[in-house]
Amino acid sequence: GAGRPRAASGAAVAQLRRRLESELEDIRGAGTWKSERVISSRQGPHLRLAGGGAGILNFCANNYLGLSSHPEVIRAAVEALEKFGAGLSSVRFICGTQSIHKDLEEKIARFHQREDAILYASCFDANAGIFEALLTPEDAVLSDELNHASIIDGIRLCKANKYRYKHMDMQDLETKLQDAQKHRLRLVATDGAFSMDGDIAPLREICQLAQKYDALVFIDECHATGFLGPNGRGTDELLGVMDKVTIINSTLGKALGGAAGGYTTGPKPLIDLLRQRSRPYLFSNSLPPAVVGCASKALDLLMESNAIAQSMAAKTQRFRSKMTAAGFTISGKDHPICPVMLGDARLAAVMAEDMLNRGIYVIGFSYPVVPKGKARIRVQISAVHSDEDIDRCVEAFTEVGRKHGALP
């Protein structure tokens, strides 16, 4: 049987524990402690929480298209598990590539209308793996200041000259591009849709500047793939610049089945180089077959019909318009990420907890996830939310907002 937990001892360990406990207490005191609620059901618009919470309306998942519980997606995962096993026990170049991995990469490239694609364990890994492999000290990367943490960390790993431009500020980007002309290669890196604010990068203007200054464009499409654009291809399709964006990184863990995994898609020579030099790819196990099966079926559903992707717009507009009419400030525009801006971290945490007491599962975000003074409750709309679900959420927000002074 399992024994009692063993704790390391000694003066150094005691000193470490004191320092860590002090830091943890500071987090609690600042009102920015992040609790994890335990779910005892499938991901979906309605959840059951461990401990008895049933019938909870879920408004905080990245399950944009509702495919994480789609019966065909689940069946595809089971079939892949039975045919190909639980996992490869190895990295791709040793003995970890199966036919389903190659098929999925081909399908991803076809979906985005690109030459080739490469799979990663996550999009965080994809972002960690591309900049170091592609850029040298002779090159430059220009990054939006509010890019996802994984882009920031990936850029830190490379030795290129680094420029950070103000959020979606095209004048500042142009100034930085002018300064970067002295470098061999210039890469503009931006989120397609920004996950904390629900705003969409001005890709038309970015691509125009890139063309003017002979630069390449990279976008992270984690919060766009599957539902933005007429066919769910993402922000480059939405804004009509699919032929102007060079590199796309995205995830399989949100709209495309909700399991895990990420990818890079773009020019074939780049993908070939990543297979040779990208460290997260070279030193991580292959994606489990069940995950590959999920994502492959999700892409099949999207490429067969754009009905699921198109269902998002009306639901998003319903929530945004009703919340604005109630007196809340909703950040971003026309995106299912709908941040309810509150400013105060404690207020965001208390309101989120009170919403759960009313059967609505939402999460408060505060520093360091978002800047200080920009705390919010991020609501995320899914294609499988009903109009009644959305209206119930707005009603609960209105009640809680008035109770805590966020509304008059």
Side-chain angles (χ1 to χ4, degrees), residues 32-37 353 361 363:
T32 58
W33 184 266
K34 295 159 190 65
S35 300
E36 295 182 4
R37 298 185 179 117
E353 192 64 34
Y361 186 5
I363 295 293

Side-chain angles (χ1 to χ4, degrees), residues 102-135:
K102 301 303 293 181
D103 292 344
L104 178 56
E105 287 170 335
E106 186 278 329
K107 195 173 293 186
I108 288 167
R110 181 155 40 93
F111 178 75
H112 285 285
Q113 298 177 12
R114 296 307 196 274
E115 294 177 13
D116 201 356
I118 180 173
L119 290 170
Y120 286 88
S122 69
C123 191
F124 203 112
D125 278 347
N127 285 341
I130 188 165
F131 299 104
E132 183 182 26
L134 177 63
L135 303 176

Side-chain angles (χ1 to χ4, degrees), residues 365-382:
F365 287 82
S366 55
Y367 181 82
V369 179
V370 297
K372 289 182 179 179
K374 296 289 183 70
R376 79 281 308 265
I377 292 176
R378 187 180 71 173
V379 176
Q380 291 175 270
I381 307 300
S382 171

